Amino acid sequence: MNEAVNLTNCDREPIHIPGSVQPFGFLLTVLSDFTICMASDNVGSFLGTDVADLLQQPLSRVISEAAVQTIRSRVDHLSGPDTTERMFGVELQPGKPPCDLSIHFSGAYLVIEAEPSVSEPGVNSGELVRLMLERIRKTRGMTELAREAARQLKVLTGFDRVMVYQFHPDGSGEVIAEAAEAGLERFLGLHYPASDIPKQARILYQRNWLRIIADINSTPAALFSTATHNAGLLDLSMSVLRSVSPIHIEYLRNMGVGASMSVSILRDGKLWGLFACHHYSPRYISFEKRTASELFGQMFSWIVEGREREGNVAYEMRAHQVQERLIETAASHEHSRRAIVDFLGDYRGMIDCDGVAVWSDNKIALQGQTPTEDEVKELVAFNRTSPGRIFASAEIAKVYAAGQSFRDRAAGFLAIPISRTPRDCLIFFRREVVRSVNWAGAPDKVYDEGPNGPRLTPRKSFELWQETVAGQSKPWSTADIRIAESLRVTLLEVILQLSDLAARERRGAQERQELMIAELNHRVRNILSLVRALVAQSKDTATSVEEFAGVLGGRVQALARAHDQITNLNWAPVALRSLVESEAGAYLGARAGRVKMGGPDVALDPKAFATLALVVHEMMTNSAKYGALADSTGQVEVVWRLDPNSSLEIEWKESGGPPVQPPSRRGFGTTIIERSVPFDLKGEAEIRFDLLGVQAKFVIPPNFVELVPSIAGAAMRVEEQQPARPRISETALIVEDNLIIAMAAEVILLDLGARHVDTAASVDQALRAIERTRPGFALLDLNLGNESSIKVAQKLKEIGVPFMFATGYGERAPIPEELASAPVVQKPYTLEVVENALGKLQGTVAQ
């Protein structure tokens, strides 16, 4: 029994593994040792050797050693699965015409494609692209931009017709610009169904920017392989020569097209459209011109992206300004629903719409062109949008059948959930836009039996077929969705939770007030006791009334300064050190040196400062009454540091005082010490009554902590518990004979901390550089063309300089046993690869 026919049947055609290539060039694949394992059967007409005689042969036996070295040197630049390298005018065999090459990786295979070079005297493709870009940059608006781009690409390629084809959200496409020879039927404005370009073809267009079909009637060249490999499964997604799907050949033949070329247009990495080029007879253009066309397509993509982004930025900025006003005004509303209803007009200013409705607290409010209240209520009851998800449709009747009755007033809707219950929502409506769509032939799907079951077959008629589209609104754009998401967050987090926040704030204020009143009573008693003790101590040491008044006045002033710091919450962040000093001075006066301090210069947010001041006061009070400061021998050490998360850790250590007796009950002072920091700051607090001295630890979250600006620096926030990453701090040496790779390596070593980088392309240059300046680290390309860097490595080992080797694809150069411990990285390498290899040299590379 056949499976149901749908678009996925056509999408399953394996167009990326056709097992053959177009015959205007030939293909070879080699393994890492550069042994040929696959080849196209037309290779003999280009290289003079039958395919059977090529397989399992070293590449160097088929083409010249110089050509092999050219290919090997460019393999190092293949940095990802979708990257290709191109070489022009390469002489593969002595005395034979040169070829243009393209190489890329397909799994474990290196794919080499070649086609004869085309000599075009006086043609400078780079200059042509520059002039083309200059012309399109002067255009205004998307229509003029696309039209001029099509015209420029037609001049460059010589195709009979060049179109700019843009995809719509439903997958269909439209010709938005066209440049064609006189007398040809015009395709401008025609639409094509999504099935004309299946899913897997769109994926290839995203990965491979350019695709050429030089002659639809040419016979593909089959791929052959050795017994241990399967040419029929070779992935040719990034191939230049990949042969064409029979379905697509039939499609082009039905249109009367003899050759075609497409250049992808991407936006944010997604397929936005295509330059579709048609010729009504076979048409081959040189690899160099195709490369120029691809470069032009990439530049055009960035221009389109920039212009669309400019429009979206202006649109979203206007919405953001409205949203800011909404937030400011909403803060004054006590009732959340009243705030929502009052801003209906503002919502309409944020998102382009014709009407808006709000459903909240089982009540509804409408503004603008909308369905009736009853119709909106029924729509809300039907709405299955989850609480955290926005839903948008340009055709309401497609997702909600009853919407057919009011589609003339509201054909499209965008629903934003604004509460934890799905029914509370804000809905934007757009009116119906009736339009005529011109299709290139009736977009009906035709099915046939294929090797994978029922499949779509190409349409045989491309005559104009007109359809009137009704019941749809202007589509909701990605910018609309982003604005809606931002508005959803605002309504949920600011307006709808306003009453909850206010209630929590009132409860918190009441709890803090009760705590402060209790603390005030406690503090007043302590202060009176402290003043009496100060009077007694001052009287015992004073020899005159004047001296007594001076000592007592100084101590009272120190105590007052400490209390000012506790209560003055309007100050800017205050230094932690000054808090400890003030409290110590208030209690100990000239003996404040018994409190030792240490740590980076940090300041505390006023809220945190006030909370911690209460804690420090209690700790100092307890120490003066019962702990290390209660006699003349003990001392207190207060140290602090920033942990790896930038939280402030404070440790209090008492020693040398009388034996500590744990309290028999938890008084109010102990409660303040243990609970203030966790309660007010969401930090941590711990106190231990050890026999030899009280120990305490407090952790203040990083949002309450600042480094003092005058001395703040990287060293102050060193994450002491995190292992240091391998770094280079001296001059680094790169030995590399490829300039591009050397430049990339220089950036990597500078990122890893090198102060200066020397570059050498040969052994002699490297040895002279070492003699001139002893490097702290070296990165050595093992193969330097006709020589190796082994001599350089031996010299570096002799003088004690750490180094690592870099090798290219397929290299098998031996490394002497005495150098075998050096790390080896494979080209093309990245910063992470070099950094990981540096980890093996820890202890020798300067940190």
Side-chain angles (χ1 to χ4, degrees), residues 55-70:
L55 299 177
Q56 293 185 317
Q57 294 295 317
L59 185 62
S60 58
R61 291 187 185 176
V62 179
I63 64 176
S64 68
E65 185 64 38
V68 173
Q69 288 302 322
T70 298

Side-chain angles (χ1 to χ4, degrees), residues 67-88:
V68 173
Q69 288 302 322
T70 298
I71 294 171
R72 188 189 293 277
S73 68
R74 299 303 288 271
V75 172
D76 293 338
H77 297 279
L78 296 174
S79 57
D82 289 353
T83 57
T84 62
E85 281 293 315
R86 298 168 188 178
M87 292 144 276
F88 300 95

Side-chain angles (χ1 to χ4, degrees), residues 336-357:
S336 59
R337 186 187 173 276
R338 187 72 260 155
I340 298 172
V341 172
D342 284 352
F343 296 114
L344 283 178
D346 291 290
Y347 303 146
R348 292 186 62 186
M350 293 177 68
I351 296 179
D352 181 21
C353 66
D354 298 295
V356 63

Side-chain angles (χ1 to χ4, degrees), residues 175-198:
V175 179
I176 64 171
E178 179 183 38
E181 292 292 321
L184 290 178
E185 177 188 2
R186 298 298 173 179
F187 291 170
L188 181 64
L190 292 184
H191 288 66
Y192 295 80
S195 58
D196 278 17
I197 304 180

